[in-house]
């Protein structure tokens, strides 16, 4: 147990009552005994490196380079992504890929390079392999983006899983992003980042790592270009990052470095090169298109751990209605279960749950249910009995069912890495749907098993099916929640085939966007927690998970009225807009923070409702292109170093720039602008980028800027779709995309393109046809931004 584990243990045990503390200690020793019996000691190890090249075998899209002590397979996929794998590693089997291994690009061939090396040249990237096993990823023009040094393995002398390390170098000016949900991001500075999905054991802030969603996905941005690298390995590991340094005067540059260490599993890698938009599109093509949430899920959600009863739910909903505040969904936490047992209902506190769900739905409010994977290990519990009959639960190396400690008490855990278990589990969602629920949030699925003295998870020796291959929890841990999400999503597709599923999960792995999104988990109710919320959303979007958001106000704490309001204003511009907290943290309805906060929150809610068609468009574009709704400022200009280092503002699609207030007492803030003209949506003032602008940020709002030339689909005063057009500068043009909501089913929506141009002193808005012709504009148009621009300050 390291120091971080000790801190987590003290946090968790310190909050426990004495009886629970005893159970946690017992759970910890049970896990340790299982691992002592089920995992062989590592013993002596033998180090290995590839050695020199001995022969080469060209093949489709690349080929195999054989070394004295290893072999490297290189393959360029038809979509431009590049794969390389050591020691015979192939793209499949993989939990990340969708549709198996992609087809090879027949135009890419393995050919000799200088100094005894070999290379594969493709349309989007070139891979060069040295005669000793170094691998370089280059742009089509030959500029080096990344250089992997020859890898090293440590193999047990008596046999067993080899651990390995891969060291890489990047440009001195490069910046690292990604690795899943990192509270210290979105830019990942020098440090070590663990790849092991983890419940922090309490509220977290930027210093806490790892968290619930870790992925070996790096997005690296430098002057020479952008690339994404994915080490397709779900084992426990860590990534050590060190940013480079450019030499002053005649000094030499120090390259940035990345070191990936894994405790086992294959050494295989995917790489994509291009603009950020192209890279994320390639990543989505490889791992699956993001699921499109139903339109209501893009509205405002209210949740609480501790509603306690139907009466309290009705009181909260009535409070929104009486004050004229939009509300689209209410989430019920584990307190609505019978003794915390999943797929049950406490009939005393929620005696007429289906009736409640029906009434809420008629008022436009959907009910969402929590689902935890832990099943109370008690005969007579219907889920436990049926799971036992189906042999659905994880077993240890001796064949005994693994037990842990979670909210229901002594619990067992389904093995979601088995298709038959996913089918069984998915059938249980019918009970939730019959109760009237419209969607689900998966919690505690890292998975968590409460224990003292170290990690709160299942024994590493626990056995899993892993789709028939067999293995243990060291490999299955990080994909456990991903497989649970697959079970829930596929069940909803089958049980409600005419409706798009709504599902989001606290934990997950690469490819989780296929099934839904995620949320921040138990972020601290502090200003640091507010900053961490934005970092998580930005970082996850760059890993291909576009739908996410925080617990507005933080999960466990008492935010001041100012902190709650600033969090609420940020949440209004994030994909998942959900207010949530533990009951002990106090109520989180906007009116509980005083009349001033209520009125400002009303404005934020109204703006979210007005922008709903824009969010619908962004969701559909994410499915088609992989582009996140929330993007860093450098999205369209990654070569701008100043934008690469900006972490306190973001783009919402291509049209809006949002500059949230992330510090106490701030009523004015400086915003760094990307190139072009930007309009303050509140005042109409125009600013020219690139450069800095000082904007007013009163308590009533946060600064939001619109890009000149943007066409934004919004909700008009009559409730129908309208177009908000921000005038381009004279002599410039603009445009935008509109994808109207086709309903919550599977109909393919129409994509409409609109152009904006000046004709003399007249500004024309036209709908563009696929072959260049025009169509009449069917929607009302409001033109804004016909003002003289102000300058920017400190432009650089």
């Amino acid at each position: 147990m390291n120091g971080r584990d000790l801190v987590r243990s003290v946090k968790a045990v310190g909050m426990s009552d004495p009886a629970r503390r005893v159970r946690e200690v017992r759970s910890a020793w049970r896990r340790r005994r299982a691992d002592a019996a089920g995992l062989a000691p590592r013993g002596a190890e033998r180090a290995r490196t590839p050695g020199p090249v001995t022969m080469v075998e060209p093949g489709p899209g690349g080929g195999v380079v054989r070394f004295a002590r290893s072999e490297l397979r290189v393959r360029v996929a038809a979509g431009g992504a590049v794969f390389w794998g050591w020691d015979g590693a192939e793209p499949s089997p993989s939990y990340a890929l969708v549709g198996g291994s992609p087809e090879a690009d027949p135009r890419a061939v393995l050919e000799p390079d200088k100094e005894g090396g070999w290379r594969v040249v493709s349309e989007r990237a070139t891979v060069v392999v040295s005669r000793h096993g170094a691998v370089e990823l280059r742009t089509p023009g030959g500029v080096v983006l990344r250089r992997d040094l020859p890898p090293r393995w440590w193999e047990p002398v008596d046999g067993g899983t080899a651990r390995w390390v891969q060291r890489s170098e990047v440009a001195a000016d490069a910046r690292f992003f990604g690795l899943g949900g990192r509270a210290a991001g979105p830019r990942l500075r020098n440090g070590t980042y663990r790849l092991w999905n983890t419940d922090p054991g309490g509220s977290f802030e930027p210093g806490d790592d790892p968290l619930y969603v870790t992925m070996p996905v790096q997005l690296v941005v430098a002057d020479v270009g952008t690339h994404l690298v994915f080490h397709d390995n779900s084992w426990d590991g860590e990534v050590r990052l060190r940013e480079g340094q450019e030499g002053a005067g005649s000094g030499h540059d120090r390259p940035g470095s990345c070191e990936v260490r894994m405790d086992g599993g294959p050494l295989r890698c995917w790489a994509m090169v291009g603009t950020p938009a192209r890279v994320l599109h390639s990543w989505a093509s490889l791992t699956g298109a993001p699921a499109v949430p139903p339109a209501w899920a893009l509205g405002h959600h209210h949740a609480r751990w501790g509603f306690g009863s139907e009466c309290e739910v009705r009181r909260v909903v009535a409070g929104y209605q009486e004050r004229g505040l939009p509300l689209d969904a209410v989430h019920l936490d584990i307190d609505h279960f019978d003794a915390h047992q999943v797929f049950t209902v406490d009939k005393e506190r929620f005696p007429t749950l289906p009736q409640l769900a029906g009434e809420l739905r008629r008022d436009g409010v959907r009910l969402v249910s929590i689902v935890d994977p832990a099943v109370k290990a008690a005969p007579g519990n219907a889920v436990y009995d049926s799971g036992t009959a189906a042999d659905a639960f994880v077993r240890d190396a001796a064949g005994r069912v693994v037990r842990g400690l979670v909210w229901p008490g002594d619990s067992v855990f389904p093995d979601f890495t088995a298709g038959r278990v996913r089918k069984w589990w998915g059938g249980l969602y019918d009970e939730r749907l019959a109760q009237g629920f419209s969607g689900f949030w998966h919690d505690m699925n890292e998975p968590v098993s409460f224990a003292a003295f170290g990690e709160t998870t299942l024994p590493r020796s626990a056995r899993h099916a892993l789709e028939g291959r067999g293995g243990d929890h060291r490999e299955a841990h990080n994909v456990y929640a991903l497989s649970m999400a697959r079970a829930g999503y596929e069940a909803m597709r089958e049980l409600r085939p005419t409706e798009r599923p709504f599902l989001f999960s606290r934990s997950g792995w690469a490819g989780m966007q296929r099934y839904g999104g995620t949320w921040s988990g138990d972020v601290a109710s502090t200003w640091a927690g507010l900053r961490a919320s934005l970092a998580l959303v930005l970082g996850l979007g760059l890993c291909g998970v576009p739908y996410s958001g925080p617990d507005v106000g933080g999960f466990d704490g008492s935010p001041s009225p100012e902190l709650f309001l600033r969090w609420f204003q940020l949440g209004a511009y994030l994909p998942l807009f959900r207010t949530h907290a533990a009951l002990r943290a106090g109520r989180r309805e906007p009116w509980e923070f005083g009349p001033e906060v209520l009125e400002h929150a009303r404005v934020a809610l109204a703006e979210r409702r007005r922008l709903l068609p824009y969010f619908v468009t962004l969701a559909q574009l994410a499915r088609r292109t992989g582009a996140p709704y929330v993007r860093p400022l450098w999205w369209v200009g990654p070569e701008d170093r100043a934008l690469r280092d900006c972490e306190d503002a973001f783009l919402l699609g291509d049209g809006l720039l949002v500059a949230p207030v992330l510090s106490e007492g701030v009523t004015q803030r400086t915003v760094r602008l990307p190139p072009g003209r930007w309009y303050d949506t509140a005042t109409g003032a125009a600013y020219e980028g690139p450069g800095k602008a000082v904007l007013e940020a009163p308590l009533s709002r946060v600064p939001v800027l619109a890009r000149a030339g943007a066409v934004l689909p919004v909700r008009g005063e009559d409730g129908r779709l309208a177009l908000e057009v921000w005038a381009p500068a004279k002599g410039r043009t603009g445009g935008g995309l509109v994808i109207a909501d086709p309903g919550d089913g599977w109909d393919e929506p129409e994509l409409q393109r609109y152009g904006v141009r000046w004709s003399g002193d007249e500004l024309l808005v036209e709908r563009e046809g696929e072959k260049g012709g025009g169509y009449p504009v069917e929607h009302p148009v409001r033109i804004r931004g016909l003002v003289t621009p102000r300058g920017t300050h400190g432009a650089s």
Side-chain angles (χ1 to χ4, degrees), residues 114 126 128 135-148 169-174 222-227 255 273:
K114 60 185 179 180
T126 296
V128 178
V135 179
E136 288 185 352
L137 180 68
R138 300 180 179 178
T139 67
V143 180
V144 177
L145 291 167
R146 186 184 193 94
R147 185 172 189 265
D148 284 2
E169 295 178 348
V170 298
D173 66 284
D223 288 354
V224 296
T226 300
H227 71 277
V273 176

Side-chain angles (χ1 to χ4, degrees), residues 335-650:
D335 54 291
H336 87 279
F337 289 150
D338 182 8
H340 294 163
Q341 297 180 62
V342 67
F343 299 118
T344 65
V345 175
D346 186 327
K347 295 297 180 64
E348 291 187 4
R349 291 184 294 161
F350 292 85
T352 60
L353 187 56
Q355 180 180 336
L356 171 66
E359 293 173 1
L360 294 181
R361 188 160 185 160
R362 285 192 292 273
D363 290 336
V365 180
R366 306 295 183 115
L367 208 55
V368 175
S369 172
I370 194 171
V371 175
D372 287 357
V375 175
K376 185 175 180 62
N381 173 7
V383 178
Y384 175 75
D385 291 344
S386 65
T388 300
D391 189 21
F393 302 122
V394 174
R395 294 179 177 271
D396 64 16
R400 298 173 298 230
V401 173
V402 172
R403 295 199 174 200
L405 180 65
V406 199
W407 299 119
D410 207 21
S411 301
V412 293
F413 302 83
D415 182 9
F416 297 115
T417 69
R420 61 178 182 80
V421 176
R422 289 195 295 270
K423 186 74 173 175
W424 163 76
W425 181 263
L428 301 174
Y429 285 70
D430 195 31
E431 179 273 341
R432 299 280 87 187
L433 295 171
Q435 295 288 348
F437 290 104
S438 299
F440 302 95
W441 54 299
H442 289 176
D443 199 3
M444 307 294 289
N445 56 346
E446 288 69 34
V448 174
S449 174
F450 300 141
F453 316 122
E455 291 180 336
T456 54
T457 185
L458 302 187
R460 292 174 173 247
S461 59
R463 303 297 298 172
H464 291 266
L466 291 168
E467 316 309 323
R469 293 180 291 109
D472 60 39
H473 198 66
R474 292 174 297 178
E475 181 179 359
H477 175 85
N478 282 335
V479 297
Y480 187 87
L482 176 73
S483 300
M484 181 185 178
R486 177 182 175 183
Y489 183 84
E490 291 178 347
M492 295 179 72
R493 288 290 307 265
E494 181 177 337
L495 294 169
R496 296 291 188 272
T498 62
E499 299 178 12
R500 294 199 306 274
F502 175 58
L503 185 152
F504 64 107
S505 170
R506 188 171 80 171
S507 184
W509 203 62
M512 65 182 296
Q513 74 277 357
R514 300 190 295 260
Y515 312 118
T518 184
W519 90 102
S520 65
D522 299 347
V523 63
S525 297
T526 62
W527 289 97
L530 173 59
R531 291 190 293 275
S533 296
L534 178 56
L536 287 163
V537 174
L538 281 165
L540 286 162
L542 295 175
C543 290
V545 185
Y547 184 84
S548 68
D551 286 344
V552 168
F555 177 71
D556 195 2
S558 300
S560 66
E562 181 189 1
L563 175 56
F564 175 80
L565 177 61
R566 292 308 195 186
W567 216 316
F568 200 87
Q569 290 167 335
L570 169 63
Y573 294 98
L574 299 180
L576 174 58
F577 181 20
R578 183 176 85 144
T579 305
H580 180 48
L583 180 59
R584 62 176 176 266
R587 300 188 185 279
R588 291 290 168 80
E589 295 80 57
W591 54 89
E592 297 290 345
F593 293 87
E596 183 180 18
V597 169
L598 172 61
E599 291 311 306
H600 297 334
R602 183 191 307 279
V603 173
L605 284 168
E607 182 64 3
R608 175 61 172 233
R609 182 56 56 96
R610 192 181 75 89
L611 289 176
L612 189 58
Y614 188 46
F615 276 93
V616 169
T617 294
L618 294 178
Q620 292 288 347
L621 287 175
R623 177 182 68 86
R624 298 178 185 219
T625 68
Y629 312 18
V630 171
R631 308 165 187 178
L633 294 188
W634 49 258
W635 179 258
V636 294
E639 68 283 350
D640 187 327
R641 296 188 180 187
L643 292 180
R644 289 208 298 260
D645 293 341
C646 182
E647 301 176 282
D648 62 353
F650 61 91

